[in-house]
């Protein structure tokens, strides 16, 4: 992709902008409501620029609602889940990609099967387990499972490891390296881009996770932001939800994910340029 | 050698295995058992054999309709989403000024939690004041009533799913970045056009990622829940009812947990069979390094 003609460049920009506008349009709506005053949001009619523009909403969510607490809880939960998911999935996927044992094929099918069972039917027994463990109303049911390697992540990293030439492992083995060495010195650095992608995804997933906290957390002090947004929208009882507050809180929910992606994508797309470029496909 | 590999295999997968046995296996076995009972979530369950499965398959038109809708939705949304994300990734991989900006822009929708996205799309699909039909009106097109029209509601959900293709794009881009530039240089010397080098280099090298997107896409689409639950509640007239929302309704609205468990296991078997077929087919088109003689 070295040389690009002027024509090709122009066409690319037109396409990128056109699709970009389509994707971005709904956000304008979100922003517009976030800056609208209470009086304006009551009139549901959509205006691109709010009739009465206000910044006050951004301080009000902290004073009138518990946005600060929600944010703190989200940070704690997300920090641990990202570490847990990346570390465990990376380790486990080496086993599935490179090692064979009696029954390893069937075990891989079982791993994939865990993605195929609708979570709704295992929700109740799962809740009973966490209740027996005394974990309800703590962060533990939200954090601990991520240390046990999720099937989606394991499958994804496995795909990338399988594209790395086995000859690299074999050469290392001849040099007397064991499986721990091969995993940590050869495979781990080469899968770094995809691990970064998983870290970004797992940040987004856990930062935005609504179902988990809804089931396991009922103490307002321990509520993370994704559930907090919902609490704000029902704060006024049976009345109209304070849409502008909901949208401001939604911005706080969305913006960290965008920042993490902006910072993280560098590692996803450029990390392996300096390393062995023939590695990941 | 093989034997020793076996022990290492179990050592490496132990984090998953321990979690599976401790936290996942129990609930799975429990729900299999419950699918043979009349459990209502509150009273103790009575064993009723295969009655749930029999009713489901012979005497429940809504189940069949929701199954048909789920397939209809999945078989449009998954291939369409995959082609579009490949097409977007191709453009985002070009060395252009400001490309980082576009990469962020395209990823953006996939970070919006599905609950928030659903609320947003209810507004966007509104028949007259909705942004989508207002946009179409600019071109003189009279848009359908989307969510209120039985013929259009499933396609509305497809449109909504396309909004979030950014996640798959990230994976494709990560894959594209790993393709050795020497390959492109060699093909440029041979006089290949950029279209030719896409189909002879980029696409085959990406097949492991495409395969991943296909498998997880099928599994995810067949389990579509929140969009239907929030945006359409299965309406109008069950035209957008799907299997998992129907399962949820049975479990938590009608308190027929036993019946809901049977639905889950029928769906599970369908997804498993489809996945295994896709896995079998992968030998024909997915390119792994090991398959090549220079690997």
């Amino acid at each position: 992709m070295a040389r690009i003609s002027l024509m090709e460049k122009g066409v690319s920009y037109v396409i990128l902008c056109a699709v970009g506008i389509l994707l971005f349009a709904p956000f304008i709506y979100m922003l517009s409501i976030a800056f609208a005053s209470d009086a304006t949001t009551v009139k549901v009619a959509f205006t691109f620029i709010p009739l009465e523009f206000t910044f006050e909403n951004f301080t009000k969510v902290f004073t009138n609602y518990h946005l600060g607490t929600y944010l703190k809880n989200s940070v704690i939960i997300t920090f641990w889940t990202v570490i847990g998911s990346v570390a465990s999935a990376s380790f486990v996927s080496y086993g599935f990609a490179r090692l064979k044992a009696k029954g390893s094929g069937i075990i891989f099918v079982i791993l994939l099967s865990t993605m195929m069972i609708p979570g709704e039917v295992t929700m109740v027994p799962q809740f009973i387990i966490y209740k027996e463990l005394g974990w309800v109303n703590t962060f533990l049911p939200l954090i601990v499972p991520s240390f046990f390697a999720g099937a989606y992540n394991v499958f994804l990293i496995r795909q990338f490891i399988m594209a790395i030439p086995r000859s690299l492992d074999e050469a290392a083995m001849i040099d007397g390296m064991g499986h721990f060495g091969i995993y940590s010195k050869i495979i781990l650095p080469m899968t770094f881009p995809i691990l970064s992608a998983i870290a970004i995804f797992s940040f987004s997933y856990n930062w935005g996770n609504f179902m988990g906290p809804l089931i396991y957390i009922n103490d307002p002090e321990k509520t993370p932001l994704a559930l907090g947004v919902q609490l704000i929208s029902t704060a006024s009882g049976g009345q109209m939800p304070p849409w502008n507050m909901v949208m401001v809180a939604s911005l706080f929910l969305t913006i960290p994910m965008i920042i993490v992606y902006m910072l993280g994508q560098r590692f996803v797309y450029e990390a392996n340029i300096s390393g062995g470029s023939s590695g990941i496909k | 050698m093989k034997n020793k590999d076996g022990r290492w295999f179990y050592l490496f997968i132990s984090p998953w295995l321990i979690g599976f046995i401790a936290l996942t296996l129990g609930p799975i076995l429990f729900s299999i058992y419950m699918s043979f009972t009349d459990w209502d979530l509150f009273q103790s369950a009575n064993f009723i054999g295969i009655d749930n499965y029999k009713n489901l398959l012979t005497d429940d038109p809504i189940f069949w309709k929701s199954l048909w809708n789920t397939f209809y939705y999945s078989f449009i949304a998954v291939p369409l989403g995959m082609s579009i994300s490949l097409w977007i990734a191709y453009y985002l991989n070009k060395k252009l000024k400001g490309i980082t900006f576009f990469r962020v822009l395209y990823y953006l929708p996939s970070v919006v939690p599905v609950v928030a996205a659903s609320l947003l799309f209810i507004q966007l699909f509104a028949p007259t004041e909705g942004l989508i039909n207002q946009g179409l009106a600019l071109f003189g097109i009279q848009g359908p009533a989307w969510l209120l029209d039985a013929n259009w509601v499933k396609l509305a959900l497809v449109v909504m799913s396309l909004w979030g293709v950014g996640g798959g794009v990230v994976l494709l881009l990560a894959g594209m970045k790993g393709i050795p530039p020497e390959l492109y240089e060699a093909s440029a010397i041979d006089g290949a056009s950029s279209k030719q080098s896409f189909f002879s280099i980029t696409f085959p090298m990406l097949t492991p990622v495409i395969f991943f997107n296909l498998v997880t896409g099928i599994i995810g689409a067949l389990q579509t829940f929140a969009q239907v639950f929030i945006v359409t509640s299965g309406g109008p007239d069950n035209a957008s009812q799907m299997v998992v929302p129907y399962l949820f309704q049975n479990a938590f609205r009608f308190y027929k947990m036993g019946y809901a468990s049977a639905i889950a296991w029928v769906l599970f078997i369908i997804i498993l069979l489809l996945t295994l077929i896709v896995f079998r087919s992968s030998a024909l088109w997915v390119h792994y390094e090991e398959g090549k003689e220079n690997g």
Side-chain angles (χ1 to χ4, degrees), chain B residues 274-285:
Chain B
L274 268 175
T275 310
L276 289 177
I277 291 170
V278 176
F279 257 85
R280 279 285 139 79
S281 84
S282 73
L284 301 173
W285 61 277

Side-chain angles (χ1 to χ4, degrees), chain A residues 60-62 64-68 70 223 225-237 239-250 252:
Chain A
K60 259 213 260 174
V61 280
F62 284 96
N64 300 2
Y65 304 90
H66 307 282
L67 199 78
Y70 300 158
T223 301
L225 186 59
L227 184 57
V229 173
Q230 161 79 7
L231 292 185
I232 293 173
S233 79
T234 54
S236 53
Q239 309 284 309
M240 258 287 272
W243 281 119
N244 48 359
M245 292 298 145
V246 173
M247 287 303 164
V248 171
S250 303
F252 275 98

